[in-house]
Amino acid sequence: MEPDKPACRETTPLLMDSGKENVKLTGNVSAAPPPPIISRTPSNDPALPVIQVEVESQSYQVPSQIPVEDSRAMMEHATSNLQSLMHLLKGNIGTGILAMPIAVKNAGLWVGTIGLLLIGLVAVHCMHLLVNCSHLLCRRTSSIALDYADVAEISLKTGPQSLRRFAKASRYLVNAMLMLTQFGFCSVYIVFVATTVQQVVHHFHNTDPGIRVYEVIVMVLLVPYTFVKNLRALAPFSAFANLLTITGLGIIFVYIVQGLPSVNSRPAFSSFAQLPLYFGTAIFAYEGISLVLPLENKMRNPQDFGGWTGVLNLGMVIVTCLYTAVGFYGYLKYGDDAKGSITLNLPTDNWLYLSVKLMFAISIFISYGIQFYVPMKIIWPVIESRLESRKLIVYGEYLLRVVLVLITFAFAVLIPHLDLLISLIGAFASCSLALIFPAAIELITFSAEEESISKIMFVKNLLIMSFGVLGFATGTYSSLKEIIATF
């Protein structure tokens, strides 16, 4: 192999317990039977790791010609900056934005609006914390890419000696919260799509079936859609969903800004008792952190993801502005009549607004596949590693996808109230992933021997963690209390 022209490319990195990273190569690898086993081991220069080649029990070490930060550019199914932005927007602009009016209702017009901006600022900061820690830990371990659970585990493995025994437990905890959150999102999507379609059909047929029938229909349609396996294949769906969302939001804004009452007609602050529900709904909307690392890891140019003008900031500034505007004008328009989704407040006797409802139903349906990607990437590799038959591996993955869709359907049936389900998921799972874990990971990562923690970093992360714990406790309690009272 010529040293200045690498003839292979890395496609599937997997960090092993030994600290080495097995890498699947595709391309013109020299055909010497049996195929060489190739893995990356740390080198003195983290930008140029060593490639360990084993052929028939003989071992050779050659410097990699592909820097760690550049090697992902040659991955199969790598996404462009625009595709990654589309996924980021679609992953964040879902049912959460439509629930912003009722969120502001639970806090008051001005407290709720300003609170959305502050929560958005903290949430985006925590996304950057996770990305920056991922980069640092990649250099520390000569890894190509790490997911959320990898970052949590390796931060403890390479952190203070007293915390290293919790490394494996941290992986299980993060994965459990990720799956719970994503399953919750998917369940909310089923409820939303079913409720929206029912409302449209009810306009034409007063004797339409109950909500459970619509949820079953949505579940059946989701099964073949979830068979799409990679983000690149989902990119056209994301672009189409974003087009529907932008069109729908434009029509909604034109409607809600007409005939607005005075801002003095709405209370600036509601009550402390309602704040936990507000916080749960708001953090649910901003909990796109579970998609951040998977999106960056799949980018052709991952260096364009972070930074002041990167994909992450561009996407989240758009998201935050939309959240704030929908929350402010939606509550100002409808007041205490605001429902779990602003689309449910739109008139049902006008074809234009009925079409908006259908636009969002299709858009949220498409979002299901993007949110579904995360738990599949967590669960399937564990199951696949225990299967030997190629036939079982192929059909087993499809079976797992069907089972997971059925699980989200079961959650949707159990709690059909959209606003309460959103608040519960946001408070219980999203607080941990969006606020508590990133701040704790940064403190642990910079507690390693070669790193240092400034007083500002320590105080800042302690405040974020305290804010997250408070929201977790009060939000979960208030949501469960409301759900019990409803039933």
Side-chain angles (χ1 to χ4, degrees):
M1 185 183 299
E2 297 177 9
D4 58 344
K5 186 178 181 181
C8 58
R9 53 181 177 174
E10 301 157 7
T11 60
T12 312
L14 176 62
L15 188 70
M16 307 299 289
D17 290 338
S18 62
K20 295 183 180 181
E21 184 177 279
N22 288 350
V23 183
K24 176 185 175 184
L25 301 180
T26 63
N28 299 323
V29 183
S30 59
I37 301 172
I38 304 179
S39 62
R40 170 173 278 111
T41 57
S43 68
N44 293 329
D45 184 359
L48 288 173
V50 170
I51 297 295
Q52 180 78 20
V53 183
E54 298 179 6
V55 181
E56 292 183 347
S57 302
Q58 297 187 22
S59 177
Y60 307 92
Q61 285 191 346
V62 293
S64 169
Q65 302 301 315
I66 309 173
V68 171
E69 61 270 20
D70 295 335
S71 58
R72 278 187 284 166
M74 295 185 294
M75 288 192 306
E76 291 181 336
H77 307 303
T79 56
S80 66
N81 291 0
L82 181 60
Q83 288 172 331
S84 299
L85 179 62
M86 291 297 101
H87 285 314
L88 183 65
L89 292 175
K90 193 71 233 81
N92 282 276
I93 303 176
T95 53
I97 189 173
L98 303 177
M100 286 299 97
I102 198 171
V104 174
K105 168 190 169 183
N106 287 326
L109 185 62
W110 293 112
V111 172
T113 302
I114 296 173
L116 286 177
L117 294 172
L118 294 178
I119 292 174
L121 180 65
V122 175
V124 175
H125 174 69
C126 288
M127 292 178 186
H128 280 286
L129 293 186
L130 190 62
V131 171
N132 293 337
C133 287
S134 172
H135 293 170
L136 177 59
L137 294 171
C138 278
R139 293 193 296 269
R140 189 179 293 177
T141 59
S142 295
S143 302
I144 296 175
L146 302 173
D147 60 23
Y148 202 150
D150 289 333
V151 171
E153 182 179 15
I154 296 174
S155 67
L156 286 163
K157 275 187 175 180
T158 61
Q161 191 70 36
S162 59
L163 297 178
R164 293 183 180 181
R165 65 180 183 273
F166 301 111
K168 188 62 67 175
S170 69
R171 167 179 287 278
Y172 296 144
L173 178 60
V174 169
N175 279 338
M177 286 297 184
L178 280 172
M179 288 189 292
L180 180 61
T181 303
Q182 299 307 119
F183 284 151
F185 287 171
C186 291
S187 299
V188 168
Y189 292 171
I190 292 176
V191 174
F192 174 84
V193 174
T195 304
T196 302
V197 173
Q198 182 193 37
Q199 193 180 59
V200 173
V201 173
H202 186 75
H203 173 68
F204 300 98
H205 301 281
N206 293 331
T207 58
D208 62 298
I211 187 66
R212 297 288 184 268
V213 175
Y214 289 98
E215 289 177 343
V216 170
I217 295 173
V218 172
M219 180 266 294
V220 172
L221 294 176
L222 281 170
V223 170
Y225 175 56
T226 56
F227 289 169
V228 180
K229 296 182 179 180
N230 63 71
L231 285 176
R232 188 179 181 86
L234 288 173
F237 295 96
S238 290
F240 178 63
N242 285 333
L243 179 62
L244 292 178
T245 300
I246 292 171
T247 304
L249 285 176
I251 296 173
I252 288 175
F253 273 118
V254 170
Y255 177 75
I256 63 177
V257 297
Q258 298 179 21
L260 287 174
S262 169
V263 293
N264 295 325
S265 64
R266 309 299 183 206
F269 174 68
S270 60
S271 67
F272 286 104
Q274 294 295 104
L275 282 181
L277 292 175
Y278 162 77
F279 181 79
T281 305
I283 203 65
F284 171 92
Y286 280 111
E287 207 290 295
I289 197 168
S290 56
L291 292 174
V292 167
L293 289 182
L295 289 177
E296 196 217 20
N297 292 343
K298 281 290 185 179
M299 285 183 67
R300 186 178 300 119
N301 301 301
Q303 67 275 9
D304 295 338
F305 189 73
W308 286 101
T309 58
V311 172
L312 179 58
N313 274 356
L314 174 61
M316 293 310 298
V317 165
I318 296 173
V319 168
T320 301
C321 292
L322 289 174
Y323 283 179
T324 306
V326 172
F328 178 85
Y329 289 109
Y331 176 57
L332 185 60
K333 174 76 173 181
Y334 296 112
D336 290 339
D337 294 328
K339 297 182 180 180
S341 169
I342 193 172
T343 57
L344 301 178
N345 285 108
L346 295 177
T348 58
D349 56 353
N350 186 299
W351 68 267
L352 179 63
Y353 301 118
L354 288 176
S355 69
V356 170
K357 296 174 188 287
L358 292 178
M359 286 180 194
F360 276 102
I362 296 172
S363 177
I364 297 303
F365 183 93
I366 292 173
S367 298
Y368 187 102
I370 300 172
Q371 300 293 351
F372 191 81
Y373 177 84
V374 176
M376 274 301 302
K377 294 297 288 184
I378 294 172
I379 300 173
W380 176 241
V382 177
I383 298 176
E384 185 182 22
S385 63
R386 290 167 169 77
L387 300 177
E388 297 181 358
S389 169
R390 177 62 184 170
K391 192 173 183 179
L392 282 177
I393 291 175
V394 172
Y395 291 103
E397 181 175 2
Y398 289 111
L399 178 61
L400 176 63
R401 290 174 181 270
V402 173
V403 170
L404 294 184
V405 171
L406 291 175
I407 291 175
T408 59
F409 168 73
F411 278 130
V413 171
L414 288 174
I415 309 177
H417 296 275
L418 193 61
D419 55 334
L420 297 180
L421 184 58
I422 288 175
S423 182
L424 176 62
I425 295 167
F428 184 76
S430 299
C431 279
S432 301
L433 293 171
L435 301 176
I436 301 173
F437 291 169
I441 286 172
E442 186 184 48
L443 288 178
I444 295 170
T445 300
F446 283 89
S447 296
E449 294 180 359
E450 68 275 14
E451 306 291 346
S452 61
I453 300 177
S454 66
K455 291 183 179 179
I456 295 178
M457 179 189 294
F458 179 80
V459 173
K460 178 257 300 179
N461 286 339
L462 189 62
L463 289 174
I464 293 175
M465 292 169 63
S466 301
F467 182 56
V469 171
L470 179 64
F472 167 83
T474 58
T476 302
Y477 171 78
S478 297
S479 299
L480 288 175
K481 182 179 177 181
E482 290 291 330
I483 289 172
I484 293 172
T486 301
F487 288 99

